[in-house]
Amino acid sequence: MKTSFVGARIILPDVVKTGTLTIENDRIVAISDDSPADHQTVDLTGHYLLPGFVDLHVHGGRNADFMDGTETAFATVLQAHLEHGTTSMTPTSTVADHEEIMNFLRLTRQFRAESPACRVLGAHFYGPYFAPPAKGCHPGGALRPPTTPEYEKYLTFADIMTSATVAPELPGAKEFALACRERGVRVNIGHSHATFDQVQEAISWGATHVDHLFCAMSDRARLRLSQAFPMRGGVMEATLFFDELTTEVIADGKHLAPELLKLAWKCKGADRLALVTDTMRAMDMPDGEYIFGNTTNGEVVRKHAGVGVTLDGSALASSVQGMDHMFRTMLQALPDHLPEVTRMATLTPATIAGVGDQLGSLEVGKIADLVVMSDDFHVQQVYLAGKRMV
């Protein structure tokens, strides 16, 4: 039986049109102006119909973190983000001990094969290969540079690793990046105080993406602290300059002011800039203290005023919002660019993750991951492969 969603404002990759979208089983089979009489219909008059959101960088939600290392924690996070409109994601690790990371990778493999909620595209290997001055809210005790005996064990999970982050200035970073590229794992630059030239060199190793633009990275001001002149570019400037690099922003309205969201969009464009949540376990939870990462070895932070902060309140410590919130915030910054903002939360991250041919846009032949949103862009319904989940 075919199902037609009628009367919706359908957000296509480049335009918004009112019409009918028809699915059969798990696929989109037609987008038209007609309302077929012989189909089961869902009346979406007054609503928007979007592709399911795709999140490349997410740690937790509803008081669970992927690094908790349990099936219950994984299922909780996936369900929580599904309710915010995210239908596909890459669970993201934190700086942790070796066995904790291995357990995270094992669980990611298990849930990619069969997830009870949001689709798992693969693992985002994130930490421990960060530069200490740019560690952010990650636990500092487990930071370490890449070493071949260790990362070769991680890369036994290369079949389910969509990306791996490394600070290019660390010893062993080049060898790790080349090993990832050889196994088909995308190399990200993140939590780094590298220079512009070091980023350019990392591109030659295979780096293609930079984590959370403007956050936990070097720029002209930071690099000037160690060298009075000339002023030099860092990771931020290199990310904006090199067309080879895609990147992402945490559009929660707390990490970045509207002018920085606009700058990122102007420099990178909607096809090289993704929205991410970078959300920790405090999403959907009241204000208070929470652990970022594993409950045993993680870092204690605080949820306050709609964002995660360090206990002394002096620095940010991850996001606490879902992708629907990121979408609304970016749309406030770019109110005349609805299709482009939609792409930044859907097709662009899907393409970065290597699944843009199947997910991320409302096009005939693609998987029917759908989000129904109200006139003010709050989630009303969520469909995963044609099945209503929310």
Side-chain angles (χ1 to χ4, degrees), residues 1-53:
M1 169 69 75
K2 294 180 180 179
T3 300
S4 291
F5 299 86
V6 301
R9 284 168 283 185
I10 304 170
I11 305 181
L12 303 174
D14 296 305
V15 69
V16 180
K17 64 172 289 183
T18 300
T20 298
L21 182 142
T22 301
I23 67 173
E24 185 173 16
N25 299 321
D26 65 341
R27 298 281 169 169
I28 299 170
V29 295
I31 301 173
S32 68
D33 298 324
D34 304 323
S35 300
D38 58 340
H39 296 176
Q40 177 180 331
T41 60
V42 178
D43 186 359
L44 296 182
T45 302
H47 292 78
Y48 286 96
L49 185 61
L50 294 71
F53 297 137

Side-chain angles (χ1 to χ4, degrees), residues 108-223:
T108 303
R109 174 175 281 165
Q110 175 184 331
F111 276 80
R112 193 184 72 160
E114 186 173 357
S115 170
C118 178
R119 178 182 291 104
V120 172
L121 299 177
H124 179 178
F125 177 86
Y126 188 70
Y129 304 149
F130 295 164
K135 74 177 184 67
C137 65
H138 287 256
L143 288 171
R144 51 198 185 268
T147 59
T148 303
E150 180 178 66
Y151 67 66
E152 284 293 342
K153 293 176 182 176
Y154 297 144
L155 289 175
T156 62
F157 290 90
D159 60 305
I160 58 95
M161 289 171 63
T162 60
S163 58
T165 294
V166 65
E169 67 270 33
L170 293 178
K174 177 179 180 180
E175 291 75 15
F176 175 63
L178 292 174
C180 288
R181 187 175 71 175
E182 182 182 352
R183 292 162 174 82
V185 178
R186 186 183 75 245
V187 178
N188 291 10
I189 296 168
H191 286 266
S192 166
H193 278 185
T195 65
F196 188 100
D197 290 342
Q198 287 172 323
V199 173
Q200 185 172 20
E201 185 178 2
I203 293 172
S204 74
W205 307 338
T208 60
H209 186 81
V210 178
D211 296 318
H212 46 42
L213 180 62
F214 304 116
C215 301
M217 63 175 56
S218 54
D219 56 22
R220 172 206 59 81
R222 288 184 176 88
L223 291 176

Side-chain angles (χ1 to χ4, degrees), residues 299-362:
E299 196 80 4
V300 180
V301 298
R302 178 177 289 117
K303 178 181 180 179
H304 173 70
V307 72
V309 294
T310 55
L311 290 180
D312 63 5
S314 64
L316 292 168
S318 196
S319 161
V320 296
Q321 303 287 356
M323 187 64 85
D324 53 338
H325 180 93
M326 310 294 162
F327 177 85
R328 289 189 296 271
T329 302
M330 197 72 184
L331 192 58
Q332 288 172 1
L334 300 169
D336 298 323
H337 298 276
L338 178 55
E340 290 178 282
V341 172
T342 301
R343 290 210 309 274
M344 285 186 269
T346 57
L347 183 57
T348 298
T351 301
I352 292 170
V355 293
D357 59 333
Q358 295 292 314
L359 301 169
S361 60
L362 302 182

